[in-house]
Amino acid sequence: LGSKWVGLKHFIRMFTDPILAPKFRQVLLNTVGMSLMGLIFGFSFPIMFAIFLNEIQGIKFKKFVQTVSYLPHFVSWVIVANIISSALSPTGMVNEMLLNLGIFKEPYNFMAQPKLFWWIVTFADVWKETGWNAIIYIAAIAGIDQQLYEAAVVDGCNRWQKIWHVTLPGIRNTIITLLIINIGNIINIGFEKQWLLSNPVVAPVASVLDKYIIDFGISNYNFSYGTALGIFKSFVSILLLIIANKIAKRFDS
């Protein structure tokens, strides 16, 4: 109760402070960039994977693929980061394969390329979460009336036409709902995978907003500034939710 009220001081510091503002703009760019890539690929791949599983005829093979696809979700990011780092290292599996195919003449250090870091993080996240995120779409597809597929066959639809005219419209509401949720979380991507996959070479493009809050807010005991950053995140998330919801209503009408 005895604290001094400073109004918008710390919000202004985010954008104007000569030391904090450049770092804030960079981490905000990194956060939004990786979030958008994660939204595009991490949202579309589970839909395609669920449709792919639905088209598999063999029950045993389908269950096997489902089980294998779920497993990475339960693996710690520490282990996933080690797997990705080892596979992409100069002596790793990817380099060995590319060298044997004659695509590369010498080993390439993927993990030391800032321009590739966002792609590596996106790939790791998609590989880890696609199977798990596809569960709700698989459930939605299972709820589609099978008579619609039978009617489509009678009308002469092939497999791709059934997917386009029956499956996708049947799960449209599920897609829209999850899209709104994902857009609302576009700025809340955490920092674990970026921190575990980063190194000093790619640090400028690896730092994200949550890590910035820890470093400049909590670790430096600058709690007021850290709180302002947290409120900024919440404000952006709410704004994105409102925009996404209005757009979804336009498409649904």
Side-chain angles (χ1 to χ4, degrees):
L1 295 176
S3 298
K4 181 182 177 182
W5 173 251
V6 295
L8 300 176
K9 172 186 173 182
H10 296 293
F11 294 97
I12 296 171
R13 285 180 67 197
M14 292 182 204
F15 301 98
T16 59
D17 189 283
I19 298 175
L20 297 174
K23 182 66 175 177
F24 172 72
R25 287 193 290 268
Q26 180 62 50
V27 298
L28 185 61
L29 174 64
N30 295 342
T31 302
V32 174
M34 280 184 271
S35 293
L36 286 175
M37 291 177 66
L39 180 65
I40 293 170
F41 295 101
F43 183 75
S44 58
F45 272 56
I47 298 173
M48 292 187 287
F49 183 68
I51 294 172
F52 162 75
L53 283 178
N54 185 61
E55 294 299 315
I56 295 177
Q57 300 299 322
I59 301 298
K60 290 184 178 180
F61 180 67
K62 180 187 291 189
K63 289 183 177 180
F64 172 76
V65 174
Q66 279 184 281
T67 303
V68 171
S69 68
Y70 298 160
L71 291 178
H73 171 78
F74 299 99
V75 177
S76 166
W77 264 113
V78 176
I79 298 174
V80 172
N82 281 328
I83 293 172
I84 298 295
S85 299
S86 298
L88 295 177
S89 69
T91 58
M93 175 182 64
V94 175
N95 267 296
E96 278 194 30
M97 182 177 65
L98 294 174
L99 288 170
N100 291 334
L101 292 173
I103 298 175
F104 285 176
K105 300 297 182 184
E106 57 184 23
Y108 188 78
N109 193 353
F110 292 94
M111 300 302 295
Q113 304 299 321
K115 62 183 179 182
L116 296 179
F117 183 77
W118 290 7
W119 290 102
I120 292 171
V121 170
T122 303
F123 167 78
D125 194 39
V126 169
W127 174 74
K128 187 176 187 299
E129 301 296 343
T130 291
W132 182 257
N133 291 337
I135 291 176
I136 193 166
Y137 297 112
I138 295 170
I141 292 172
I144 297 174
D145 190 346
Q146 293 302 308
Q147 291 182 355
L148 295 175
Y149 290 104
E150 294 170 4
V153 172
V154 172
D155 290 338
C157 290
N158 58 31
R159 177 170 291 186
W160 295 109
Q161 289 172 325
K162 286 191 292 183
I163 291 172
W164 185 257
H165 295 290
V166 180
T167 305
L168 287 175
I171 62 174
R172 183 180 63 176
N173 291 336
T174 303
I175 292 174
I176 290 173
T177 301
L178 291 178
L179 179 60
I180 292 172
I181 294 172
N182 277 272
I183 290 175
N185 286 323
I186 202 169
I187 204 168
N188 298 312
I189 62 171
F191 68 92
E192 296 90 348
K193 49 184 177 284
Q194 292 84 3
W195 183 59
L196 290 167
L197 289 167
S198 68
N199 55 67
V201 179
V202 299
V205 297
S207 183
V208 289
L209 199 53
D210 286 332
K211 188 67 168 64
Y212 177 76
I213 292 173
I214 293 174
D215 291 340
F216 288 85
I218 298 174
S219 296
N220 290 338
Y221 300 100
N222 197 350
F223 300 119
S224 298
Y225 184 64
T227 302
L229 288 166
I231 294 173
F232 172 79
K233 279 184 58 183
S234 299
F235 172 77
V236 172
S237 296
I238 293 170
L239 184 63
L240 289 172
L241 271 175
I242 294 171
I243 294 171
N245 193 38
K246 287 189 176 295
I247 293 173
K249 285 181 178 179
R250 285 177 177 269
F251 279 101
D252 199 39
S253 59

